[in-house]
Amino acid sequence: MTSQTATTNRSKLVVESSITDKKKIRGKVKGTILGPIIALVIFLSLWQAIPILFDIKPFILPKPTDVLQAAIDDWHLLWPAIQITVTESIIGFIISAIVGIGISILLASSRILEVSLYPYAVILQTIPVVAIAPIIVIWFGSGFNSIVIISFLIGFFPVVSNTLMGLNSVDKNMGDLFTLYNASKWQMMWKLRIPAAMPYMMSGLKISCTLAIVGAITGEFIAGIGGGRGGLGYAITVAAVQLKTPYLFACAIAGAIFGIGFYLLVSSISRFVLKSWHESAMKVEK
Amino acid sequence: MGAIQKEVVSFKGVDKIYNTGTVALSQLELSIKEGEFISFLGPSGCGKSTALRMVAGLGEATKGKVEVFGQKPKDLIRNSNDIAYVFQDSNLLPWRTVLDNVVLPLELRGFNKNTRKEIALGVLEMVGLKDYLTSYPRQLSGGMKTRVSIARALAAKPKLLLMDEPFAALDEMTRQSLQMDLLDIWKKEHTTILFVTHNVYEAVYLSSKIAVMSARPGRLASLIDVGLPYPRDRVNSEFTEYVDLASQSLEHSLNRKELV
Ligand SMILES: Nc1ncnc2c1ncn2[C@@H]1O[C@H](COP(=O)(O)OP(=O)(O)OP(=O)(O)O)[C@@H](O)[C@H]1O
Ligand SMILES: [Mg+2]
């Protein structure tokens, strides 16, 4: 009898503590969402107030409402520009993902290749893209192709360095297990090294997706317009020359919103891919 | 119990010196016969894992010779499924389900799909995990993971099963039930088992022979024949005698280290 009451008491306790846990979690979620929103509201209000208080002209510092107005007024220009930049960065990103992963697998499958080529990949990475962009324009013409290539070049390296690290960080015991069953090099790669590298690969892709956008916009600064229609980067240069500052802000903010969206998309793809096993993807469950 | 029992593993004057200068094994002489359950018992760092890895062809002797079924281990694993290894932690692939983990050795050896599933289901049933085929390792308890890794080792029907402290991380209850299961499997499959442990009770409960090792340099301190019939009774006075005997040789090997 006594032991029974003890257990019911204990289960009550457990239930209660799980309720408080839930409350705590809900409170945490509220905190993590509410906090940034409050910060944003304060930021926007200050931004709105300062030009009014100090009588700053819109072409120096436009108010949020000016920016919104400019976006609405010039939507027929802004929307095509967004579409172009989005297309360029997504293509650039996909190429950097495919080429990056492909090259990593190639390098990782041969020690000699890796040792002799990886240093050059690092050196290539340290060359600022702005410096090689003109050459790319000379080779591939101004416009879409060059911009995609620049976006690819910027996004490429994080994929390679992360994937390579993953492919080379296989647990020793797991490697031994495969050796014990006389696994071929090919089996080691596809059944062990690539799956083990997945989390690394995904974090490389998360970095490179935002870089691909930076690449596309930078590319548009330099490779400008090709075929008559420019993206956000081109729109920004034009707006700057014409002192259409509110529109310039609208373009920049559109780029940022796309960047966030793209990052969230890639993150959720990565979470889906890693769902079955990776710990950082499991935190949600805990 | 004929006099001409087939030799499965032989260590002949084996030294192992790692390139860090650590002498892990020194002059190891040991012969293991078919059907034996032999435990390597010794303090941490005495070279138990090193010895086991050499039997599996995962490490080379610096001096001397290790042979399994009269062959070099490296050659043996290249063209047969005779050796299986249960690692110190369960060493499951986290991205594969229980079934797919158990199937792995067969997959690597090129068995066809139906055969490997059939075999895997058989061994998973043997270790009592038939209901967890689609679970991932992270969803299993420590004991269940150990069972999966034993099932994986058994999948390719090895003649020699190497086990490196498979139960070290488990609680006493789980450990005891797995020990009983292991003995059942040993009887049923007629495998030779090389089992590493630093638990004296475990060694006495399981083994037909205990190889007590001493540390630094790792060498064979004594070889104990455990002459108790299976299944063994843990509270029996004879059992306790063997435990004492093994503990004494273990202590002796430790003391000798201090004298040096
Ligand atoms: N790869 C290695 N390189 C250098 N030294 C090593 C290596 N592996 C093991 N050693 C050393 O060899 C000795 C024996 O190691 P081993 O792992 O065989 O011990 P063990 O008996 O299995 O110990 P434990 O019970 O802790 O697992 C130790 O001193 C260890 O530091
Ligand atoms: Mg060990």
Side-chain angles (χ1 to χ4, degrees):
Chain A
M1 266 305 276
T2 29
S3 77
Q4 224 169 3
T5 40
T7 42
T8 44
N9 275 345
R10 192 179 302 154
S11 66
K12 241 187 225 162
L13 271 179
V14 171
V15 171
E16 271 166 25
S17 73
S18 81
I19 287 172
T20 46
D21 275 354
K22 262 184 203 156
K23 268 185 196 160
K24 258 185 219 159
I25 290 166
R26 204 172 295 149
K28 235 186 212 169
V29 170
K30 256 188 198 162
T32 49
I33 294 176
L34 219 57
I37 289 178
I38 292 172
L40 182 68
V41 169
I42 293 174
F43 174 71
L44 286 177
S45 323
L46 280 176
W47 181 6
Q48 182 75 17
I50 286 170
I52 297 173
L53 284 177
F54 298 100
D55 194 24
I56 302 172
K57 293 277 174 326
F59 71 86
I60 303 286
L61 179 62
K63 301 186 287 294
T65 47
D66 297 333
V67 175
L68 193 64
Q69 192 59 46
I72 293 167
D73 289 345
D74 286 338
W75 184 247
H76 62 289
L77 297 174
L78 184 59
W79 180 233
I82 292 174
Q83 283 174 306
I84 289 169
T85 303
V86 167
T87 317
E88 289 161 350
S89 3
I90 290 179
I91 295 176
F93 168 71
I94 289 173
I95 298 176
S96 61
I98 293 171
V99 175
I101 292 171
I103 286 187
S104 311
I105 292 173
L106 192 74
L107 291 186
S109 61
S110 154
R111 188 80 200 131
I112 299 170
L113 269 185
E114 187 183 345
V115 170
S116 25
L117 295 184
Y118 191 68
Y120 296 103
V122 177
I123 291 172
L124 214 63
Q125 171 61 17
T126 59
I127 300 173
V129 172
V130 189
I132 51 171
I135 300 172
I136 288 163
V137 176
I138 291 171
W139 289 346
F140 298 96
S142 67
F144 194 80
N145 291 344
S146 291
I147 295 166
V148 167
I149 289 170
I150 293 167
S151 153
F152 149 72
L153 282 178
I154 292 195
F156 166 75
F157 190 75
V159 180
V160 173
S161 60
N162 277 276
T163 309
L164 257 185
M165 196 200 288
L167 290 172
N168 289 328
S169 67
V170 169
D171 182 87
K172 185 168 159 293
N173 279 342
M174 288 185 190
D176 284 345
L177 180 73
F178 276 65
T179 309
L180 189 67
Y181 292 108
N182 199 31
S184 64
K185 237 178 134 179
W186 188 86
Q187 287 174 320
M188 281 265 192
M189 183 57 81
W190 290 96
K191 292 179 195 291
L192 177 63
R193 299 179 73 188
I194 292 177
M198 272 304 191
Y200 295 82
M201 215 182 276
M202 289 302 149
S203 65
L205 292 180
K206 277 197 267 185
I207 298 168
S208 86
C209 75
T210 48
L211 286 178
I213 299 169
V214 175
I217 292 178
T218 322
E220 285 163 353
F221 284 159
I222 298 154
I225 195 163
R229 301 199 313 158
L232 286 173
Y234 178 71
I236 288 172
T237 33
V238 172
V241 172
Q242 297 175 346
L243 284 182
K244 281 168 72 179
T245 316
Y247 183 58
L248 192 157
F249 269 76
C251 291
I253 290 169
I257 290 173
F258 166 51
I260 295 165
F262 197 26
Y263 180 80
L264 291 178
L265 178 72
V266 174
S267 299
S268 61
I269 291 173
S270 120
R271 202 169 309 135
F272 177 78
V273 170
L274 302 180
K275 192 175 62 186
S276 60
W277 62 279
H278 185 237
E279 275 156 299
S280 83
M282 276 162 45
K283 270 180 199 145
V284 188
E285 265 176 54
K286 272 185 189 167
Chain B
M1 290 284 140
I4 26 167
Q5 254 176 317
K6 211 167 137 196
E7 185 172 64
V8 177
V9 181
S10 75
F11 290 90
K12 291 185 186 131
V14 172
D15 285 3
K16 175 73 186 185
I17 304 166
Y18 282 105
N19 46 20
T20 50
T22 311
V23 183
L25 290 174
S26 163
Q27 286 301 307
L28 184 60
E29 285 282 340
L30 187 63
S31 166
I32 299 164
K33 300 283 187 305
E34 190 165 35
E36 278 185 333
F37 192 132
I38 186 158
S39 288
F40 283 180
L41 177 66
S44 187
C46 70
K48 306 182 294 292
S49 300
T50 303
L52 216 58
R53 290 174 53 81
M54 286 195 305
V55 175
L58 299 172
E60 292 271 6
T62 314
K63 223 177 98 190
K65 208 159 67 169
V66 180
E67 279 184 347
V68 184
F69 297 113
Q71 295 183 50
K72 277 169 85 178
K74 281 220 162 86
D75 296 336
L76 190 65
I77 60 170
R78 199 163 302 134
N79 38 40
S80 83
N81 293 326
D82 290 351
I83 303 178
Y85 200 115
V86 176
F87 290 83
Q88 206 155 356
D89 57 358
S90 61
N91 198 23
L92 300 174
L93 307 184
W95 57 86
R96 284 187 173 227
T97 60
V98 166
L99 181 63
D100 289 341
N101 262 293
V102 174
V103 154
L104 182 78
L106 306 168
E107 202 178 308
L108 295 175
R109 293 289 193 184
F111 284 61
N112 78 46
K113 239 184 180 149
N114 292 332
T115 318
R116 60 197 196 213
K117 183 154 184 198
E118 201 180 303
I119 296 175
L121 290 178
V123 284
L124 277 166
E125 172 145 42
M126 205 189 301
V127 298
L129 280 178
K130 231 181 158 212
D131 299 333
Y132 295 89
L133 302 182
T134 55
S135 303
Y136 285 94
R138 64 180 166 83
Q139 296 166 319
L140 304 177
S141 69
M144 287 155 92
K145 281 189 217 166
T146 307
R147 283 174 193 276
V148 178
S149 81
I150 292 173
R152 177 174 65 187
L154 294 174
K157 292 255 175 300
K159 298 198 191 116
L160 172 63
L161 184 57
L162 310 174
M163 306 181 87
D164 195 350
E165 301 190 35
F167 308 149
L170 304 176
D171 62 275
E172 193 53 35
M173 304 264 265
T174 314
R175 185 204 306 251
Q176 289 192 6
S177 91
L178 278 169
Q179 285 169 351
M180 284 193 273
D181 292 348
L182 180 61
L183 287 177
D184 284 346
I185 291 167
W186 176 51
K187 278 273 129 74
K188 218 183 313 177
E189 305 284 310
H190 307 291
T191 41
T192 307
I193 298 182
L194 233 116
F195 190 96
V196 167
T197 181
H198 46 224
N199 182 324
V200 180
Y201 294 90
E202 183 166 76
V204 175
Y205 183 72
L206 292 172
S207 337
S208 54
K209 266 187 196 161
I210 303 173
V212 181
M213 294 180 65
S214 65
R216 256 152 254 160
R219 57 172 84 226
L220 192 61
S222 64
L223 196 60
I224 302 172
D225 249 310
V226 186
L228 294 171
Y230 295 96
R232 289 174 181 163
D233 183 355
R234 292 173 207 267
V235 285
N236 179 309
S237 70
E238 278 181 296
F239 187 90
T240 320
E241 270 170 37
Y242 275 106
V243 170
D244 290 344
L245 183 63
S247 308
Q248 271 162 18
S249 15
L250 201 56
E251 257 166 56
H252 182 72
S253 74
L254 286 175
N255 289 339
R256 204 184 61 179
K257 190 198 92 192
E258 273 160 28
L259 289 177
V260 174

